[in-house]
Amino acid sequence: MDLLVTDAKQSGDDWQTRVEAIAREELDQSAFYEVRQVKPCVRKRILRLNGKVSTYYFKQMAQAAVMHRLEGIVVIENDVVVQTAGSSRM
């Protein structure tokens, strides 16, 4: 775990920025283009994953990527939308 993320003495904005940066770094390292397009956003110590992917597998891969370093540090909400080829819902 990153000590900078777990340090409770950091200001809220600084902590949020660090968590978003770590999440972005983990998503960017994915071998899957769709996972790299997912956007992390931290508000009130909740990391939300947003975006659209074509399969539930990619949705799960995005969550797994950030959990690798952030599980237990923040609550992760996976708001990624699965939009299959025949789906018109957003």
Side-chain angles (χ1 to χ4, degrees):
M1 279 189 213
D2 293 40
L3 293 176
L4 295 174
V5 172
T6 59
D7 184 0
K9 295 178 183 175
Q10 291 187 44
S11 72
D13 290 341
D14 187 42
W15 184 87
Q16 288 180 187
T17 301
R18 289 177 189 276
V19 170
E20 281 183 9
I22 289 168
R24 178 77 269 147
E25 180 181 309
E26 293 300 318
L27 291 165
D28 285 346
Q29 290 179 14
S30 174
F32 303 106
Y33 172 79
E34 290 186 52
V35 172
R36 294 191 305 267
Q37 300 309 302
V38 171
K39 305 292 185 228
C41 178
V42 177
R43 295 290 178 262
K44 297 184 180 179
R45 301 220 174 223
I46 298 172
L47 171 63
R48 285 192 174 80
L49 301 177
N50 298 294
K52 289 186 275 185
V53 295
S54 62
T55 67
Y56 285 97
Y57 177 75
F58 289 141
K59 179 176 179 165
Q60 290 176 315
M61 291 302 294
Q63 183 170 330
V66 298
M67 286 178 67
H68 170 73
R69 285 177 61 192
L70 297 173
E71 185 174 33
I73 297 172
V74 294
V75 173
I76 300 170
E77 289 189 2
N78 192 341
D79 293 334
V80 173
V81 174
V82 177
Q83 188 171 9
T84 59
S87 173
S88 61
R89 291 181 54 198
M90 299 212 351

